[in-house]
Amino acid sequence: MEVPIRVEVNGEERRLAVEPRTLLVGLLREQLGLTGTHVGCETSQCGACTVLLDGEAVKSCTVLAVQSDGRAVTTIEGIAAKGTLHPIQRAFWDEHGLQCGFCTPGMILSTAALLAEEPDPDEATIRHGLDGNLCRCTGYHNIVRAVQAASTRLAAGEAAQPIGAD
Amino acid sequence: MNPAPFTYHKAANLDEAIGLLGTHGADAKVLAGGHSLLPIMKLRLVEPDHLIDLSAVEELRGIAVADGVLRIGALTTHHQLERDLLVRDHALVLAEAAGQVGDRQVRNRGTVGGALAHADAAADYPAAILALDATVVARGPAGERRIAAAEFFVDLLTTALEPDELLTAVEVPVLPGRAGGSYQKLANQASGYALVGVAVVVVLDVAGRCAEARVGVTGAVASGRRAGATEALLRGAALDETAIASAAARVGDGLDLLDDLHASAEYRRRVLVGLTRRALTSATERANA
């Protein structure tokens, strides 16, 4: 039996009906078409499905959609307006913090949560904070540099900018 | 993969949650943070007909100190526990264990009550709860009951909780002035779970000797256990390097150490000895600080 939920997704309030066993990642990808949130391991390890739930990074493969009732979800689609890049996205681009890009949406959202709590993290704090996000391409060095660059951009008050602005 | 279908109940308060548990009993599972339960539901290792969501039960939240007891609500997340100043002041070893659970996303969702009730052999909390001589508070249709940590962990994935009981809080006695604790862990690199974990609490007397020492072991055993031999050797001793090393060397005595594909019993024993020495050294330094 479907259960009614009310959830704010990327700033927009949605009233939805979900099967209780539907995972949050399933709601986002299949019911709402927000396929930027990736399904990787499906076992709470890889972090590709990371989204923000009331501002906290969570693995959406290990949250039921009904658990988002009354709360706010932010996915990669909601981090900056369409056609623009958030400073964290720009930093990942500039520092080559991605290769295949599969882990990137989760990395970006974990970075957003980390920088909201620790605006100027050292390298150890970044590595500890991103412990729940696996990347099989980069070896993490450029990801750490991207987070440091993002921290600098956010500290300077940079806003989202159109893709290819510089 | 999604879990198998179930009927979803969102309990509005503690009485309703216990009522639902009483009605559906063995056909129901309780959902807190879901980071132990949902993974095994997705693997269809568990297929409850009813899921009772506790997220709206405010009575299960909060951390407070009163009458010499630190009370931690069951729904406290690992991250909240790691950062809470009352916990860091009165039960640092528990905050240290909380900070080593899983990864950041897991710590944002998983709860102390859920982890304790699930009782994974390689969970971090059992060691800390045992070393702190904490009490688990449970509530069922017959009312409230307090279970000493040493009685709580029965066997692999098995606790002293009855099927109709809910774990509502953990109570930790506030340590006296000259006391210190430490949690040390060797994690499985893939899962983050403790291959071996050990928590110690030492209490010093006025002369600076060990008045009491408690050592809790996890990961190396099927369910959390105290290391009695080491504790007995430490009692009354001056906690210098020699005394710590010889007491730590006996930490495996009387424990049935796990021997599986992750590590042999002998490997676990050797790691346990090293981590116990490290934990005792750190706890003693903190007690003297």
Side-chain angles (χ1 to χ4, degrees):
Chain A
M1 194 182 71
E2 291 193 332
V3 173
I5 62 168
R6 198 181 68 192
V7 55
E8 187 188 306
V9 180
N10 296 332
E12 190 185 337
E13 182 164 306
R14 311 291 294 253
R15 287 169 187 274
L16 303 160
V18 294
E19 283 280 341
R21 65 185 183 130
T22 303
L23 300 169
L24 178 57
V25 69
L27 171 73
L28 294 170
R29 288 178 57 88
E30 288 153 34
Q31 228 166 312
L32 301 180
L34 296 169
T35 53
T37 303
H38 291 165
V39 177
C41 70
E42 272 201 278
T43 56
S44 340
Q45 297 191 47
C46 79
C49 65
T50 300
V51 300
L52 303 184
L53 187 61
D54 283 349
E56 285 191 324
V58 303
K59 292 179 174 177
S60 61
C61 79
T62 313
V63 177
L64 295 172
V66 288
Q67 292 179 288
S68 69
D69 183 30
R71 307 183 70 176
V73 177
T74 305
T75 71
I76 191 68
E77 290 90 346
I79 200 160
K82 195 173 169 67
T84 70
L85 291 179
H86 186 276
I88 299 173
Q89 292 174 304
R90 289 166 56 84
F92 270 72
W93 181 321
D94 284 352
E95 300 297 328
H96 304 284
L98 64 148
Q99 287 178 32
C100 84
F102 190 84
C103 71
T104 311
M107 286 284 179
I108 302 268
L109 288 157
S110 280
T111 301
L114 173 68
L115 293 178
E117 191 175 87
E118 303 254 8
D120 186 21
D122 60 19
E123 184 184 335
T125 305
I126 294 169
R127 289 184 183 272
H128 185 62
L130 296 184
D131 193 25
N133 293 77
L134 302 184
C135 170
R136 300 290 76 167
C137 305
T138 67
Y140 302 103
H141 292 296
N142 286 358
I143 291 174
V144 173
R145 287 185 197 116
V147 177
Q148 288 166 330
S151 156
T152 306
R153 285 172 180 269
L154 289 169
E158 187 179 305
Q161 294 183 24
I163 294 171
D166 52 12
Chain B
M1 186 164 75
N2 285 343
F6 54 81
T7 303
Y8 174 78
H9 308 267
K10 190 167 184 174
N13 54 52
L14 192 51
D15 284 343
E16 193 181 324
I18 288 163
L20 283 163
L21 202 51
T23 307
H24 300 295
D27 296 328
K29 278 282 175 191
V30 168
L31 178 69
H35 274 54
S36 297
L37 181 59
L38 292 176
I40 57 174
M41 284 176 66
K42 287 164 66 181
L43 292 169
R44 311 284 171 114
L45 295 173
V46 180
E47 299 187 11
D49 293 329
H50 299 270
L51 197 64
I52 304 166
D53 184 351
L54 299 179
S55 63
V57 181
E58 288 304 318
E59 296 107 304
L60 299 176
R61 297 189 188 278
I63 299 174
V65 176
D67 303 326
V69 173
L70 171 69
R71 186 185 183 282
I72 300 162
L75 285 183
T76 304
T77 65
H78 309 314
H79 184 65
Q80 288 167 344
L81 204 49
E82 178 189 1
R83 299 286 287 247
D84 188 87
L85 293 178
L86 282 177
V87 177
R88 297 193 75 85
D89 268 359
H90 298 294
L92 182 59
V93 62
L94 187 58
E96 283 185 336
Q100 294 193 41
V101 176
D103 54 50
R104 181 56 200 270
Q105 293 96 315
V106 170
R107 291 192 293 275
N108 281 342
R109 293 292 293 168
T111 67
V112 63
L116 286 171
H118 182 65
D120 195 291
D124 295 291
Y125 286 125
I129 294 294
L130 286 163
L132 288 164
D133 200 17
T135 300
V136 172
V137 185
R139 198 152 135 192
E144 200 164 81
R145 168 167 95 94
R146 285 179 159 68
I147 308 163
E151 315 290 315
F152 183 74
F153 303 105
V154 174
D155 203 345
L156 188 68
L157 302 172
T158 309
T159 70
L161 286 175
E162 296 296 333
D164 58 0
E165 280 182 325
L166 203 59
L167 194 165
T168 55
V170 178
E171 292 182 346
V172 180
V174 169
L175 290 168
R178 293 193 75 186
S182 175
Y183 178 63
Q184 301 287 331
K185 168 187 185 179
L186 178 70
N188 177 311
Q189 286 302 295
S191 69
Y193 275 101
L195 201 57
V196 177
V198 59
V200 309
V201 166
V202 297
V203 181
L204 305 183
D205 63 20
V206 284
R209 299 175 82 87
C210 176
E212 193 175 359
R214 291 187 298 266
V215 180
V217 178
T218 193
V221 283
S223 69
R225 288 287 177 268
R226 293 267 293 268
T230 296
E231 293 180 359
L233 284 168
L234 291 166
R235 213 163 293 131
L239 295 179
D240 56 22
E241 207 180 317
T242 314
I244 285 175
S246 56
R250 303 282 299 279
V251 66
D253 288 15
L255 296 180
D256 191 7
L257 298 178
L258 293 174
D259 194 320
D260 57 27
L261 79 167
H262 299 299
S264 67
E266 177 56 16
Y267 178 81
R268 281 191 164 94
R269 192 188 64 78
R270 287 176 184 226
V271 172
L272 182 57
V273 168
L275 293 181
T276 302
R277 198 169 53 222
R278 213 177 283 175
L280 285 169
T281 305
S282 160
T284 304
E285 280 169 13
R286 286 171 171 171
N288 279 316

